[in-house]
Amino acid sequence: MRQIILPVDPGRQQVVGDRKMGNADSKLNFRKAVVQLTTKTQPVEASDDVFWDQFWVDSSTTVQDVFALVPAAEIRAVREESPSNLATLCYKAVERLVRGADSGCPSEKERQTVLNCTRLLTRILPYIFEDADWRGFFWSTIPGRAGHLDHDADDEGRPLAESLLLAIADLLFCPDFTIQSHKKNSPDTADDIRAIDSCEYIWEAGVGFAQAPPLNYLHDLNRTELLKLLLTCFSEAMYLPPSPENKVLNPWISFFCSTENRHALPLFTSLLNVVCAYDPVGYGIPYNHLLFSDYREQLVEQAVQILIVTLEHEAGSAASAALQALDPSTSPSAEEEQEVHTAGGPDNLFVNYLSRIHREEDLSFVLKGLARLLNNPLIQTYLPRSTKKIQFHQELLILFWKFCDFNKKFLFFVLKSSDVLDMLVPILFYLNDARADQSRLGLMHIGVFILLLLSGERNFGVRLNKPYALRVPMDIPVFTGTHADLLIVIFHKIISSGHQRLQPLFDCLLTIIVNISPYLKSLSMVAANKLLHLLEAFSTPWFLFSSPQNHHLVFFLLEVCNNIIQYQFDGNFNLVYAIIRKRSVFHQLANLPSDTASIQRALQKKKRTGISRTNSVENESMEGSRPAVPAEPGTLKASLEATPGIDKITEKSQVSQDGTMVTLPHSDSPHTSTKSGIAAGASDSESNSERDHKVNRTQSESARSRLSSISSTAAWSANSDWVSSWKAKLPLQTIMRLLQVLVPQVEKICIDNLLSCSGV
């Protein structure tokens, strides 16, 4: 076969060669400038533009180059040995960003200068924050230089941090740099960055904006660079020592989310729309992520991080004029005004805007967008690894939590929508996947808290009766049932095979099951056996006597059984059958010894046999258990005291049909007596007041469980009076009445049919 040699354009070859040589020379010059800065012992004047321009004008370096050519040791050396030079470097870099924001970056050279300054500040700022003596530097004014940063007379003496944040905000809406200009590209028709209305340049269609701007990967890259710098500015809190009050607000976030930032509304909307409109799969072409670069993913990841960081601050009173400019129909009512007010907190426009989103199409856009991204790692195809998988699901869960927390209309929309199950399945998937990894404890907490919040509403429990047909790859038993069965099976897996540091979440997990139990029409045999397995494990004497709050777990599980028997008896024959088979567990609870000698024998048996915390009476390891992955260095050790109580996470209220919150009165409910024989199942048409009352009672009991655990001491030991105090309150009457009626009937059926009753 003859080899065909294509002709090469010598001119083009020379251009490519010159470009490579130019990049190498640029890196060399930048490195020389860094070496000069670190070796100079005398202060360099700020007016020496020839020296300072070496860092941003005469070089074209990528962010990887900046991190490689500016070592951490050299930054710290300049900070300690030549602090004035480091201060001047920061000032000059901010000055160039302000200048670029004022001019609108009309030329390619100015845009490259802005990017170089952005990357350099992203590299340097963490080493400013880690030194306590330097943290106030950006919040001070430099004598004789304030006027150079801001041209407005009112801005004289503005701190360096404020000038930097305002410049970043302006640059995020800079035509032909981060947004598409509406005018033709020419020097005479260039947009005036001070005169443009940034609400017309929102990055993506979605909430409050219907026009979809054309995709431009250069704009996405530039936005990502600026958002990285913004996130670095917000990260100062990471370097502060722990404060016992935890009331110190981050000044960077407080200023950026205040009315001083004229781009607050369009920026919040742009970030939210970019996240919720992102589709990593696209047209579904296999392996497309290996063939094409997805620059939008980097932008989405930075956007969701900026959102969850800025939403950490509480909302204060904020003007709604900017929001009405975007959507004139968003005039708030008195109730909405009251919702976004918090005592003593400064204005946070991001929280304010989030809490005011109310249109059905906007709420649906946000919910569908978050559900699509959270379900992305669950996608199954015939070709292995043929679809793109995102990695920022934990940030998405936090954003969803923030939406439910700050916007009650969104919470009500989620609960009444069938899409709530599209949120449930990925949350359960992530919980199951992270249960044995101690370094992912935070993911476990946020997932459980979201489900706890949702479970307090009736609509969530009713939705769980939908059959579970989707087969997500999880190491759980195969079953045919509903989404409620899936939830119970995974919770059993977490409790039985999770690591020790998940124990503070046990009462939250069981509270969720208690909250949904009055609405579960038919549990599968697998889920029913899992519930009884947990009850059997938690009701062993050594477990009940080993901690002052362990008996609350038994109360929760008994409450689940009572709710299902009283409200949904007709369809839950699997659970009734499991209760009859495990009737010895209930008889042992009713006859639990409370004398001191029996308590000591039970505790000694634990020490001799070394039974794990969730083993059954036969000392058999629960199915699926495996050793936990060791925690990574520096991982926080969560304790029961450090985990917030359920009363702090949930509210004694419900969302009404119009989206307002209705506070429910708190009172201790009397014990529900069992009607002749077995309580009939409650129909869907009957009043739900009793069910809601049980939900509130369960939450209050769990809150008391928290308080009792906090007040307990290491020297605590079980005694006869303590056991007797809660043993008499065990809600066993309904179950015992059921066993009294059904067991003789089942035994008679077995005898009549010559069957063995040993397994019943």
Side-chain angles (χ1 to χ4, degrees), residues 64 117 128 221 248 261 371 434-435 480 495 534 554 565 590 623:
Q64 292 83 3
C117 293
I128 299 290
L221 289 175
V248 180
N261 181 7
R435 71 180 190 277
T480 301
I495 294 174
L534 290 178
V554 174
I565 292 172
E623 174 224 355

Side-chain angles (χ1 to χ4, degrees), residues 612-679:
S612 66
R613 70 185 187 280
T614 53
N615 281 355
S616 63
V617 178
E618 294 83 2
N619 192 21
E620 294 178 355
S621 177
M622 280 194 172
E623 174 224 355
S625 62
R626 60 179 179 179
V629 178
E632 296 180 357
T635 306
L636 294 177
K637 292 186 177 180
S639 63
L640 192 60
E641 293 80 3
T643 306
I646 293 181
D647 57 332
K648 301 295 184 183
I649 305 169
T650 58
E651 299 177 273
K652 304 298 186 295
S653 56
Q654 282 190 317
V655 185
S656 63
Q657 290 293 330
D658 59 357
T660 59
M661 297 299 295
V662 179
T663 303
L664 299 177
H666 175 74
S667 61
D668 294 331
S669 62
H671 182 75
T672 307
S673 59
T674 307
K675 299 180 181 179
S676 57
I678 304 169

Side-chain angles (χ1 to χ4, degrees), residues 358-414:
H358 66 282
R359 295 188 303 183
E360 290 276 330
E361 55 269 29
D362 292 339
L363 299 175
S364 176
F365 169 75
V366 173
L367 178 58
K368 289 183 180 296
L370 294 178
R372 178 176 58 253
L373 292 176
L374 285 172
N375 280 279
N376 168 257
L378 281 63
I379 297 176
Q380 296 296 301
T381 58
Y382 290 105
L383 299 175
R385 300 182 181 180
S386 61
T387 58
K388 186 180 184 65
K389 307 291 187 183
I390 62 171
Q391 301 297 327
F392 49 90
H393 47 268
Q394 184 163 340
E395 289 87 345
L396 292 170
L397 288 177
I398 297 175
L399 181 60
F400 179 74
W401 166 267
K402 291 296 180 184
F403 259 94
C404 293
D405 188 25
F406 289 129
N407 193 320
K408 301 305 179 184
K409 290 182 175 62
F410 177 79
L411 176 60
F412 176 70
F413 180 83
V414 170

Side-chain angles (χ1 to χ4, degrees), residues 300-345:
V300 171
E301 187 168 358
Q302 294 298 319
V304 70
Q305 290 183 10
I306 291 291
L307 283 173
I308 62 178
V309 169
T310 51
L311 293 174
E312 278 299 314
H313 277 294
E314 295 180 352
S317 59
S320 60
L323 190 65
Q324 290 179 347
L326 186 65
D327 180 12
S329 66
T330 57
S331 179
S333 63
E335 292 80 5
E336 291 173 329
E337 288 284 2
Q338 184 64 30
E339 266 186 30
V340 297
H341 283 284
T342 56

Side-chain angles (χ1 to χ4, degrees), residues 475-477 492-493 496-497 530 533 620-625:
D475 54 339
I476 58 175
H492 172 272
K493 197 82 169 180
S496 64
S497 61
K530 297 301 182 184
H533 196 186
E620 294 178 355
S621 177
M622 280 194 172
E623 174 224 355
S625 62

Side-chain angles (χ1 to χ4, degrees), residues 502-526:
L502 290 179
Q503 191 162 353
L505 290 176
F506 285 3
D507 58 349
C508 292
L509 295 172
L510 296 185
T511 299
I512 294 170
I513 300 178
V514 171
N515 289 346
I516 65 175
S517 59
Y519 315 106
L520 306 184
K521 294 182 178 180
S522 179
L523 287 182
S524 67
M525 181 59 72
V526 174

